[in-house]
Amino acid sequence: MENTLTAGSLLAGIRETRLVAIVRGTDGTAAAKAALAAMEEGFRFVEIALTTPNAFEAISAVRATAPADCFVGAGTVLTAQDVDRVAEAGGQFMVTPSLAESIAESARLGLPVLAGALTPSEAYEAMNRGATAVKLFPASIGGPGYLKALRDPFPGIPFIAVGGVGLREATAYWEAGAIAVGLGGPLFGDAGSGGDLAPMRDRARGFVDLAAEFARRSGAEILR
């Protein structure tokens, strides 16, 4: 179970894979199975939302059986108590939907945190509080164009686009400068609530292949 994750290694891994999976459902056991299935299909970073019943048990189950190069975190982490409970459950990184107190608490404990923000002021404040990266949420409000405009004054802030991002939208966010996209419903569907895992696995492979193709194309363009 020993598989440490620092802010630096999380950031490097997310930059490399360009993908973060987000499980949210009505059944903790199903959410754990869905998270592990995503890892088996190539996702290295998966968060389980704390709004999922028995989320802490699900995080523990995934942490105990995840492949060595895969990491499980918690989403919708709002309070300092949430951070403590996630850490006790074995969660390796935190994700917030907003400028919650959990950002500073995660940073204080040395736990990587992807902090939710939408506006320029929120993004700047998230990094001031110790965020590893900013989760642009909900990204669909402004789309890739908004992300590009947001990055102009903040070229050093790593942004992850989350909210309304599907297979057809992902590439545009990467091209706009997102280091990754966060995928919830467009990836998992109802798998986190006990739905069939087979279609989810197909979608997971599609996202992994798309990210790999984008990386190859980007590398080729740099070499020109």
Side-chain angles (χ1 to χ4, degrees), residues 203-221:
R203 291 190 293 269
R205 288 191 290 271
F207 279 110
V208 170
D209 290 346
L210 184 69
E213 175 57 31
F214 181 81
R216 284 193 293 270
R217 180 160 53 86
S218 300
E221 291 174 353

Side-chain angles (χ1 to χ4, degrees), residues 24 75-78 95-100 102 114-118 135 137-138:
R24 186 186 303 275
T76 324
V77 181
L78 297 173
V95 186
T96 83
S98 63
L99 291 177
S102 51
L114 311 178
L118 180 62
K135 171 182 132 178
F137 176 78

Side-chain angles (χ1 to χ4, degrees):
M1 181 166 170
E2 186 63 31
N3 196 9
T4 59
L5 185 67
T6 66
S9 59
L10 174 64
L11 197 56
I14 289 177
R15 287 185 186 277
E16 179 183 356
T17 64
R18 302 180 186 274
L19 301 168
V20 177
I22 305 164
V23 186
R24 186 186 303 275
T26 60
D27 184 299
T29 299
K33 291 179 179 178
L36 288 167
M39 291 175 175
E40 290 168 1
E41 300 302 339
F43 279 77
R44 290 180 56 206
F45 304 94
V46 182
E47 66 173 270
I48 296 176
L50 295 189
T51 52
T52 302
N54 302 311
F56 299 106
E57 291 82 357
I59 291 167
S60 294
V62 175
R63 176 69 190 277
T65 55
D69 61 343
C70 295
F71 303 88
V72 60
T76 324
V77 181
L78 297 173
T79 67
Q81 183 182 28
D82 287 342
V83 174
D84 291 339
R85 293 191 67 189
V86 170
E88 290 172 3
Q92 294 158 291
F93 63 96
M94 311 288 166
V95 186
T96 83
S98 63
L99 291 177
E101 67 178 10
S102 51
I103 301 171
E105 179 64 11
S106 298
R108 186 184 71 81
L109 296 176
L111 296 167
V113 54
L114 311 178
L118 180 62
T119 68
S121 295
E122 289 173 351
Y124 183 76
E125 178 61 20
M127 297 304 291
N128 276 347
R129 295 188 187 187
T132 304
V134 168
K135 171 182 132 178
L136 182 63
F137 176 78
S140 58
I141 285 181
Y146 176 71
L147 171 61
K148 185 177 183 303
L150 192 59
R151 288 188 67 245
D152 286 343
F154 301 121
I157 294 181
F159 286 97
I160 299 169
V162 179
V165 181
L167 197 63
R168 289 181 293 181
E169 295 82 17
T171 297
Y173 282 105
W174 292 327
E175 290 175 341
I179 65 168
V181 293
L183 308 164
L187 168 61
F188 287 103
D190 63 354
S193 299
D196 188 358
L197 290 177
M200 184 279 291
R201 287 181 179 274
D202 288 340
R203 291 190 293 269
R205 288 191 290 271
F207 279 110
V208 170
D209 290 346
L210 184 69
E213 175 57 31
F214 181 81
R216 284 193 293 270
R217 180 160 53 86
S218 300
E221 291 174 353
I222 291 172
L223 292 174
R224 288 176 186 170

